[in-house]
Amino acid sequence: MNSRVLFGSFVPVDSVLHRLDPRLKLVTCFWYVVIIFFAKGPLTYLLLMAMLGAMIGLSKVPLKMYWAGLKPLLWVIGLTIAIQVLFSSGGHVYWHWGLMAITSGGINQALVILARFILIVLASTVLTATTPPLRLADAIESLMKPLKKIKVPVNQIAMMISIALRFIPTIMDEVNTIVKAQQARGVDFTPGSVYTRVKRMVPIMVPLFVGAFRRAEDLAVAMEARGYDPDQERTRYRQLTWRRPDSIALAVVVIVSVLFFVARILL
């Protein structure tokens, strides 16, 4: 098991969430992200947090692993909050200088965006941490199957998604390897100005892109050598089956959704 959970990383532990149908988990995650944007007021956000906390608990993945996967995104979160606080208007003005101002409306908006950002990232991480990439691709293909009637290339889309999910952890591991190799050669990655940081990314991005293109070419050659035909129907050793726990989980999701919209209406 890796020491951290990143989007696209599967954590093989035995839990209730791992055993659920991937189609249910995918639809639930998508629906969860949708209702996040309907949240209004502390009560609805508390309900969303409680639902997410239950999912994290049922996944049996340690909290420190989720935190370790969230840490690389802290600078994005901090930058987003800073932009919202300094450049949003509305409400009482606490500080003003030129185009920048700190207002009560800006602070409230920053808190809302912070909550949405963390909830979406963690919900997506729960999905990928509890679902193998191939099973997730099978779920996407199964849910998109009706689109075949209008000539949508469902098989190709599912294959591309599965390959992308499969190689996200590989690319992240390669980034760590490149950073360590460049540090061993004397490259300094200590913080500096924005220009300095961008300049220091060149020794990482160049070999990363070269390796990614080489890996893509090797994968294409391997698929062609094995006679892969994107237009042919694929057979599967493991079939997706809907069971009683999936129905129970779906009922719980529906109940929580009803409670969410009731709480939103009452606010």
Side-chain angles (χ1 to χ4, degrees):
M1 184 182 297
N2 296 327
S3 60
R4 61 182 178 177
V5 175
L6 295 173
F7 182 79
S9 299
F10 171 65
V11 183
V13 297
D14 185 20
S15 73
V16 176
L17 219 57
H18 281 70
R19 294 191 293 270
L20 291 178
D21 191 293
R23 293 170 294 185
L24 171 65
K25 290 185 282 187
L26 183 63
V27 172
T28 301
C29 181
F30 177 78
W31 175 242
Y32 184 85
V33 172
V34 169
I35 64 175
I36 284 175
F37 293 96
F38 286 94
K40 180 182 178 182
L43 183 58
T44 54
Y45 279 103
L46 286 175
L47 190 60
L48 290 173
M49 291 178 185
M51 185 178 179
L52 180 61
M55 290 190 295
I56 292 176
L58 291 173
S59 71
K60 291 187 178 180
V61 177
L63 289 176
K64 63 180 181 181
M65 298 180 66
Y66 286 106
W67 169 244
L70 189 62
K71 276 200 302 185
L73 300 174
L74 290 180
W75 69 273
V76 179
I77 298 174
L79 179 62
T80 304
I81 292 175
I83 292 174
Q84 289 297 324
V85 171
L86 295 175
F87 296 99
S88 296
S89 59
H92 181 72
V93 179
Y94 301 109
W95 176 81
H96 177 76
W97 184 72
L99 296 176
M100 296 183 295
I102 299 178
T103 64
S104 58
I107 294 175
N108 292 334
Q109 186 67 18
L111 292 176
V112 169
I113 292 178
L114 172 64
R116 289 177 177 177
F117 195 102
I118 294 177
L119 289 174
I120 291 173
V121 171
L122 289 180
S124 303
T125 304
V126 171
L127 171 66
T128 56
T130 59
T131 312
L134 292 180
R135 300 284 286 176
L136 192 58
D138 291 343
I140 294 173
E141 184 175 356
S142 177
L143 293 172
M144 295 178 61
K145 189 173 294 185
L147 297 178
K148 289 183 178 180
K149 296 181 179 180
I150 56 175
K151 305 301 181 180
V152 175
V154 175
N155 293 338
Q156 294 92 318
I157 294 173
M159 176 60 68
M160 288 187 293
I161 292 174
S162 63
I163 292 174
L165 292 175
R166 170 61 184 83
F167 279 102
I168 286 175
T170 304
I171 291 175
M172 296 306 298
D173 290 338
E174 188 170 350
V175 169
N176 293 331
T177 302
I178 293 172
V179 169
K180 292 178 181 178
Q182 298 291 9
Q183 287 176 336
R185 291 174 173 84
V187 178
D188 185 14
F189 291 104
T190 54
S193 63
V194 176
Y195 174 76
T196 303
R197 292 184 180 184
V198 172
K199 186 177 180 180
R200 287 169 181 166
M201 292 298 294
V202 175
I204 298 176
M205 300 306 296
V206 172
L208 180 64
F209 275 107
V210 171
F213 284 120
R214 183 176 62 250
R215 186 176 290 106
E217 183 178 3
D218 293 340
L219 179 62
V221 172
M223 293 174 67
E224 184 178 358
R226 288 167 173 79
Y228 173 73
D229 185 357
D231 296 324
Q232 291 293 110
E233 288 291 334
R234 298 174 57 199
T235 58
R236 295 173 180 80
Y237 175 70
R238 293 182 176 85
Q239 299 293 328
L240 297 178
T241 55
W242 189 272
R243 297 175 296 178
R244 184 178 180 183
D246 301 315
S247 300
I248 296 174
L250 179 60
V252 172
V253 172
V254 172
I255 293 172
V256 173
S257 300
V258 171
L259 292 175
F260 172 85
F261 284 105
V262 169
R264 189 183 187 281
I265 293 173
L266 294 177
L267 288 177

